[in-house]
Amino acid sequence: MRKTIGLCIAFGLAACGPTLENDPVYLALKANPPTSIPAHHLKKLRGGRASCEVFEEGTARQYMTCWWPQDGLKPVQTAYLTYFPSNSISSPKPSNIIVPDGALIVERISTK
């Protein structure tokens, strides 16, 4: 029984990965957030869909950022940016995202 509990605790901690307060990518994004939305994301956003980008793909450091349409208008006028860190269970992928989620980086940026 003790062995099972120990494995569950170890597995749970490994799945968490580093906290955002210790994540260098998150800290860099928060310290120097984007001031505009990259052009390749605008078409999806204006159509009311999220647009995600994966970085360092195929490595243990893989992470993802997603721009989310914000205002519900068509075409969308504003969007916000979130960050998805890598963890030891699975790397973040756009196909795994169902609802808006992630650590907030930028609250509101115009899509114009």
Side-chain angles (χ1 to χ4, degrees):
M1 181 68 170
R2 278 188 176 172
K3 193 173 190 177
T4 304
I5 292 172
L7 286 173
C8 290
I9 291 171
F11 183 71
L13 291 175
C16 295
T19 63
L20 288 177
E21 295 81 23
N22 297 321
D23 186 317
V25 174
Y26 175 76
L27 294 174
L29 286 168
K30 288 299 279 185
N32 190 20
T35 56
S36 63
I37 300 169
H40 63 277
H41 293 290
L42 292 174
K43 184 176 180 181
K44 277 187 172 180
L45 285 169
R46 288 181 182 144
R49 294 176 292 145
S51 184
C52 299
E53 193 165 359
V54 176
F55 298 90
E56 301 202 32
E57 193 164 5
T59 71
R61 299 178 311 272
Q62 181 172 321
Y63 66 95
M64 179 173 70
T65 59
C66 290
W67 289 96
W68 301 92
Q70 190 163 28
D71 51 33
L73 302 172
K74 294 256 177 143
V76 171
Q77 304 295 308
T78 59
Y80 64 97
L81 179 65
T82 60
Y83 167 73
F84 294 85
S86 190
N87 64 51
S88 60
I89 292 179
S90 67
S91 297
K93 298 177 184 82
S95 61
N96 293 344
I97 305 299
I98 298 171
V99 296
D101 197 7
L104 184 65
I105 301 296
V106 176
E107 209 166 315
R108 183 180 295 262
I109 292 186
S110 174
T111 60
K112 294 181 178 183

